[in-house]
Structures are given as C-alpha cells and as structure tokens.
C-alpha cells in the first residue's frame, strides 16, 4: 500500500508541475485561494512547478529507495505547515480555500511522509538475503 501511495501522489505532483509549466495562468485562476496570494507571476508559478516536479519524481523513485521518498516529502510537508499557518491567520474559516488546502496540500503531504517512513520501517525489519 505504501508504494501505491507514493506512486499516486508522486504522479499527481508531477502532473501538477506539468500544468504549472504548460498552463500557468489557467492553474493560477483554477486553484481556489491562489489569487488571494497576490497577482499572477509566471516566474513564481513555474519555480513552484519545478519543486513539485522534484518532489513527485522523488516520491516515485522512492518506491525503490524510501529514503529518497522522504526527501521528496520534505518540501510538501514544509509547504503544508506554511499553509496551516495561513489557515490559522485567516481565522480558521471553513470555506473552499480551506477545503482545497486540506485535500490538495495537507493530505498528500502527510500521507506521503507517513508512507515513506512506514516503507523504511518495513524494509529495515525485512530479513536480509544471504
């Protein structure tokens, strides 16, 4: 199961990166809450797209090497913490922006980190072949 989680979230991150590069203005308008963060900035959207690409590829490669998956989880986890702070600064509203934060940022970040750590634990407890 952990490998499927890493693969699935990795693919989603990589596809998000692709959209951020190919359709950056559409991405900016389509994702709830993004326009609240300031005016459209092509450089910024594509920079973050690159980070999503590295994280996604790290999660996918991490299926074979779970320590790489942990690396792939670092930015999404820090990003999730930052967005949790934003949520509290906004007064903890239950709205579309908060739902988007939960579904597209919080859940994938923490689920992938849990899966990566769990996969490391599973592999460490597996008997070695002689």
């Amino acid at each position: 199961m952990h490998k499927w989680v890493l693969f699935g979230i990795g693919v989603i991150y990589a596809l998000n990166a692709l959209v951020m590069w190919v359709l950056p203005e559409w991405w900016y308008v389509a994702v709830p809450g993004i326009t609240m963060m300031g005016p459209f900035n092509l450089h910024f959207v594509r920079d973050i797209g690159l980070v999503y690409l590295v994280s996604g590829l790290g999660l996918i490669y991490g299926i074979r090497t779970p320590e790489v998956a942990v690396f792939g989880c670092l930015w999404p986890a820090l990003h999730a913490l930052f967005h949790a702070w934003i949520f509290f600064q906004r007064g903890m509203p239950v709205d579309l922006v908060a739902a988007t934060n939960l579904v597209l940022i919080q859940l994938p970040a923490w689920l992938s980190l849990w899966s990566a750590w769990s996969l490391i634990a599973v592999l460490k407890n597996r008997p070695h072949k002689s």
Side-chain angles (χ1 to χ4, degrees):
M1 177 183 90
H2 300 301
K3 290 181 179 184
W4 284 109
V5 168
L6 294 175
F7 180 77
I9 294 173
V11 168
I12 290 168
Y13 284 170
L15 289 174
N16 186 50
L18 179 66
V19 171
M20 292 173 85
W21 264 83
V22 176
L23 300 167
E25 291 180 36
W26 178 86
W27 178 89
Y28 172 79
V29 173
V31 179
I34 299 294
T35 58
M36 295 170 55
M37 299 294 116
F40 174 76
N41 182 318
L42 178 63
H43 180 101
F44 187 66
V45 171
R46 286 188 169 159
D47 274 352
I48 294 172
L50 292 173
V51 178
Y52 267 109
L53 180 62
V54 169
S55 292
L57 294 176
L59 294 180
I60 293 167
Y61 188 81
I63 293 168
R64 295 180 52 175
T65 309
E67 291 80 5
V68 174
V70 172
F71 167 78
C73 295
L74 291 179
W75 182 80
L78 293 172
H79 183 229
L81 287 173
F82 177 57
H83 276 263
W85 178 79
I86 292 171
F87 173 72
F88 288 112
Q89 291 297 310
R90 291 180 59 228
M92 299 183 297
V94 178
D95 59 6
L96 182 59
V97 174
T100 301
N101 174 43
L102 177 65
V103 173
L104 298 181
I105 298 173
Q106 300 299 326
L107 289 176
W110 304 119
L111 186 58
S112 61
L113 186 60
W114 171 74
S115 291
W117 279 116
S118 297
L119 193 54
I120 289 171
V122 166
L123 293 177
K124 282 187 177 183
N125 291 326
R126 185 177 290 171
H128 295 283
K129 294 179 182 178
S130 302

